[in-house]
Amino acid sequence: MTAVTIECCPPLTRGPLSEQDAVVLASLLKAVADPVRLRLLSMIGSHEGGEACVCDLTDAFDLTAPTISHHLKVLRTAGLIDGERRGTWVYYRVIPETVARLGAIFTPLADSAGKA
Amino acid sequence: MTAVTIECCPPLTRGPLSEQDAVVLASLLKAVADPVRLRLLSMIGSHEGGEACVCDLTDAFDLTAPTISHHLKVLRTAGLIDGERRGTWVYYRVIPETVARLGAIFTPLADSAGKA
DNA sequence: ACCTTGTTTAGAAGACTGTCTAATCAGTAT
DNA sequence: ATACTGATTAGACAGTCTTCTAAACAAGGT
């Protein structure tokens, strides 16, 4: 259930981003650049106990179960969430390190551009 | 040259994100979820004087001028950059408020998931 | 006035994405 | 074993995105 996660932490501080780093960061951002996946991420992250059952998530959308499963896989492959089966149900939780990296991408650039 | 910018600041703190907020945030994230646009943003933001000429940006890629212009328009429409013509050349600069909002989306979620 | 350079717009081709239905796998209970 | 519910995988289709070429617009120089 654990998926391939993206390595390393390319910075978007003030130097121009390398092409390789840009590709890595873009793939991470693509994973969250979707309304359904954003809501899934916020639902999982804000859920009681820090984890949410797929059944709860599926019920919250006007989408079929396979579609939700697809979006969860995208988030999983990006290393943003991790899933675990316990009995009948599968529970997902947020991987804070990866989410934090998303937040860290833009803050330095906003600061340097703000005081320029 | 100034483009339509996205209003308001929907939070991704700890409550589940509303569908409308998710759509707004996703469109902002889509604007940066591309390697070329990430590099453009970092190049403009890290450029001397806080602004960069389109000619400089175009030369840095193996892409045609219309393609770069297209990506700049996407960033402009998202409210992430703003362009100004001065004589022959057009100069772009980063709009720090919008970039900062990108950074603020994920940091609270990472914190709350981290200490859960 | 014309030509040259820089930038954007218009339109088209190919690849990718989000969604669905159908089928399969995982676990529980009868 | 069989059936039932939860979840994922496979494959297809419509829509979107990235890139290109061709054309137009903007400003300056000869």
Side-chain angles (χ1 to χ4, degrees):
Chain A
M1 191 61 79
T2 305
V4 178
T5 59
I6 296 163
E7 290 293 312
C8 174
C9 323
L12 178 59
T13 38
R14 48 177 52 205
L17 205 56
S18 82
E19 185 171 353
Q20 296 176 31
D21 288 352
V23 170
V24 172
L25 281 184
S27 75
L28 184 57
L29 286 164
K30 264 198 251 265
V32 291
D34 177 276
V36 174
R37 292 198 287 272
L38 271 182
R39 290 178 68 198
L40 285 172
L41 199 60
S42 80
M43 283 168 129
I44 296 169
S46 66
H47 205 269
E48 183 121 17
E51 61 182 14
C53 171
V54 174
C55 54
D56 297 333
L57 302 172
T58 303
D59 291 350
F61 293 86
D62 257 354
L63 296 168
T64 62
T67 298
I68 299 298
S69 191
H70 160 72
H71 285 300
L72 288 171
K73 185 178 186 176
V74 172
L75 290 171
R76 215 168 57 220
T77 304
L80 286 159
I81 60 175
D82 195 8
E84 181 195 2
R85 169 158 235 139
R86 286 203 299 276
T88 306
W89 294 282
V90 175
Y91 296 89
Y92 278 97
R93 60 175 56 250
V94 168
I95 300 179
E97 289 77 13
T98 315
V99 177
R101 185 138 64 86
L102 274 175
I105 293 173
F106 299 101
T107 315
L109 176 56
D111 290 348
S112 74
K115 69 187 170 200
Chain B
M1 192 60 82
T2 305
V4 178
T5 60
I6 297 164
E7 289 294 313
C8 174
C9 323
L12 177 60
T13 38
R14 47 177 53 204
L17 204 57
S18 82
E19 185 169 353
Q20 296 176 31
D21 288 352
V23 170
V24 172
L25 281 183
S27 75
L28 184 57
L29 285 164
K30 260 197 254 257
V32 291
D34 177 276
V36 174
R37 291 197 288 270
L38 272 181
R39 289 179 67 200
L40 284 172
L41 198 59
S42 81
M43 282 166 129
I44 296 170
S46 67
H47 205 269
E48 183 122 17
E51 62 182 13
C53 171
V54 174
C55 53
D56 297 333
L57 302 171
T58 303
D59 290 349
F61 292 86
D62 257 353
L63 297 168
T64 62
T67 299
I68 298 299
S69 190
H70 160 73
H71 285 300
L72 288 171
K73 185 178 187 178
V74 172
L75 291 172
R76 216 168 54 219
T77 304
L80 286 158
I81 60 174
D82 194 9
E84 181 195 0
R85 171 158 233 139
R86 287 205 297 277
T88 307
W89 294 282
V90 175
Y91 295 88
Y92 278 96
R93 60 176 57 251
V94 169
I95 299 178
E97 290 77 13
T98 316
V99 178
R101 186 139 63 88
L102 274 174
I105 293 173
F106 300 101
T107 315
L109 177 57
D111 290 348
S112 74
K115 69 188 170 198

